[in-house]
Amino acid sequence: MRLIMFDMDGTLIDSGFAITNTINYVRENLGFEKLEKNYILEKVNDPSINAAEFFYGTKEFTPQQTKLFEEYYNKHCLSDLVVYDGIAKLIDDLKNDFTLAVATNANSQYAHKMLNHVGLGHHFKTILGYDSVSKPKPHPEMVNKILDIHKISNINAQLIGDSHKDIMAATKAGVDSVLVNWGFSNHEKDAIETVQELEQKIMTKFK
């Protein structure tokens, strides 16, 4: 068996508006000013940043912040969702030859809801979120857990993501990875620009 794991936000779907609006909603409720969309998305994906501290000024996310975030996100996470061009066709091309899974730092319930909403959910055998593990990406726990669930060795797997957190998680689990540049980060190097290139990378790895 061969396995392909996808990150969700910024890789399969553009949920940038929902994420940005939610963070700004929490910030406004805490008395901070709004931040610009691209700036937020760049920082969300930066592994060297403590997000709680950066966005809300606390060492860890507080129950109040989490409640505000989930309350807004729950209502709005399905609006403004877009599947990146070419992704639906790619999934369709892969589904018969590979086991497909999602490894996301979003909440797994939201991930199911969002992927179902855009018509992709049923293609993924497993969808794990930050609530499915004790340590989210860049820690390899999520990647290892998906390998275990499907009893597939790391050499027969590949992870696709738009963030260095994805690549770090894959590397620590001994899994090949591909960094894509259509998501929330603007990578200077080592990232591919199109879904066609991604399909090429997958075929090269598994041929």
Side-chain angles (χ1 to χ4, degrees):
M1 284 300 286
R2 304 173 305 171
L3 170 74
I4 298 178
M5 293 173 255
F6 291 90
D7 166 56
M8 181 178 73
D9 298 302
T11 302
L12 295 171
I13 52 180
D14 183 353
S15 50
F17 291 101
I19 290 172
T20 312
N21 294 341
T22 307
I23 287 175
N24 276 332
Y25 172 80
V26 179
R27 283 179 61 84
E28 284 187 300
N29 273 279
L30 300 173
F32 297 111
E33 61 194 32
K34 284 184 162 184
L35 295 171
E36 202 263 322
K37 176 176 180 247
N38 290 348
Y39 181 69
I40 287 182
L41 294 176
E42 187 191 322
K43 299 302 178 193
V44 162
N45 261 348
D46 188 333
S48 64
I49 279 174
N50 173 342
E53 200 162 15
F54 185 84
F55 291 116
Y56 313 131
T58 53
K59 280 271 180 271
E60 288 172 356
F61 293 113
T62 65
Q64 182 204 11
Q65 290 162 11
T66 305
K67 184 172 179 290
L68 285 166
F69 188 97
E70 297 199 336
E71 169 184 290
Y72 185 93
Y73 195 70
N74 207 2
K75 280 196 198 117
H76 301 275
C77 73
L78 298 183
S79 49
D80 305 324
L81 275 192
V82 184
V83 178
Y84 288 108
D85 284 347
I87 287 291
K89 183 185 178 303
L90 175 71
I91 299 291
D92 208 50
D93 291 349
L94 298 173
K95 67 175 196 267
N96 297 328
D97 299 323
F98 296 92
T99 297
L100 304 179
V102 168
T104 173
N105 277 358
N107 175 299
S108 59
Q109 279 176 294
Y110 291 137
H112 276 278
K113 204 158 106 170
M114 290 159 80
L115 289 165
N116 288 339
H117 180 76
V118 295
L120 294 178
H122 62 288
H123 293 305
F124 299 105
K125 295 271 192 293
T126 303
I127 297 174
L128 294 189
Y130 76 83
D131 54 317
S132 318
V133 291
S134 55
K135 293 194 172 86
K137 299 174 297 187
H139 193 280
E141 184 185 347
M142 205 181 282
V143 178
N144 285 325
K145 195 167 173 176
I146 292 173
L147 292 172
D148 288 347
I149 289 169
H150 296 287
K151 299 183 171 49
I152 290 174
S153 70
N154 56 3
I155 52 169
N156 289 324
Q158 192 173 41
L159 186 141
I160 322 293
D162 72 311
S163 153
H164 285 295
K165 287 182 184 178
D166 299 312
I167 305 310
M168 287 158 76
T171 305
K172 289 175 192 160
V175 168
D176 183 55
S177 60
V178 183
L179 184 64
V180 304
N181 222 3
W182 53 77
F184 301 155
S185 309
N186 193 6
H187 303 292
E188 301 291 310
K189 55 181 200 298
D190 302 329
I192 60 167
E193 301 294 334
T194 67
V195 177
Q196 285 69 29
E197 282 177 89
L198 173 55
E199 192 144 6
Q200 216 84 67
K201 286 262 191 201
I202 294 169
M203 293 315 156
T204 307
K205 151 103 182 127
F206 290 105
K207 69 165 187 244

